[in-house]
Amino acid sequence: IFDGWGSYPTELQFCSVFQGIFFMARKMYCLFQQHSTPERIVSDNQVFGEFGWTWMGCLGTTTALLMPDTRTERSREWVCRPGTWALVQQRLAALPSSIKHV
């Protein structure tokens, strides 16, 4: 989005200008990096999260890749929202027993 995103005071982070920047950044991220739209990204790319788009998938039978969205959900209180962290923990616990590296 831009450097420092999420570390600004709540009033500034949620003002109309910041929210406009966020809306466009999120839309362009979907288009150019995920080849999707904000409305379809969950079904198109199996992302999950409370507000952001975290992804996890297996690379073969022994390795999994976790890509948490630490930009969208960042605030002064957390890097990843508690609800998203709980979902990450659930997905990690559900990985096949053959996974040795994450």
Side-chain angles (χ1 to χ4, degrees):
I1 300 166
F2 57 79
D3 286 345
W5 183 264
S7 58
Y8 293 95
T10 303
E11 316 77 59
L12 189 55
Q13 192 75 29
F14 290 96
C15 76
S16 60
V17 172
F18 270 44
Q19 288 303 293
I21 292 168
F22 177 78
F23 173 79
M24 289 309 298
R26 193 165 166 103
K27 188 173 182 175
M28 294 302 110
Y29 166 79
C30 281
L31 178 62
F32 292 109
Q33 293 185 357
Q34 296 293 326
H35 309 287
S36 189
T37 66
E39 298 77 26
R40 293 183 45 186
I41 191 169
V42 172
S43 61
D44 286 351
N45 298 314
Q46 301 174 348
V47 295
F48 63 95
E50 196 173 323
F51 184 64
W53 296 321
T54 293
W55 183 85
M56 187 169 69
C58 293
L59 305 174
T61 59
T62 61
T63 305
L65 181 63
L66 171 65
M67 299 185 328
D69 183 349
T70 59
R71 191 69 115 160
T72 301
E73 297 192 354
R74 182 177 300 159
S75 73
R76 289 181 154 191
E77 290 78 38
W78 55 65
V79 173
C80 182
R81 289 183 185 218
T84 297
W85 186 244
L87 291 170
V88 166
Q89 294 298 313
Q90 288 173 4
R91 298 223 178 180
L92 288 171
L95 284 171
S97 60
S98 63
I99 298 295
K100 306 296 180 210
H101 308 282
V102 178

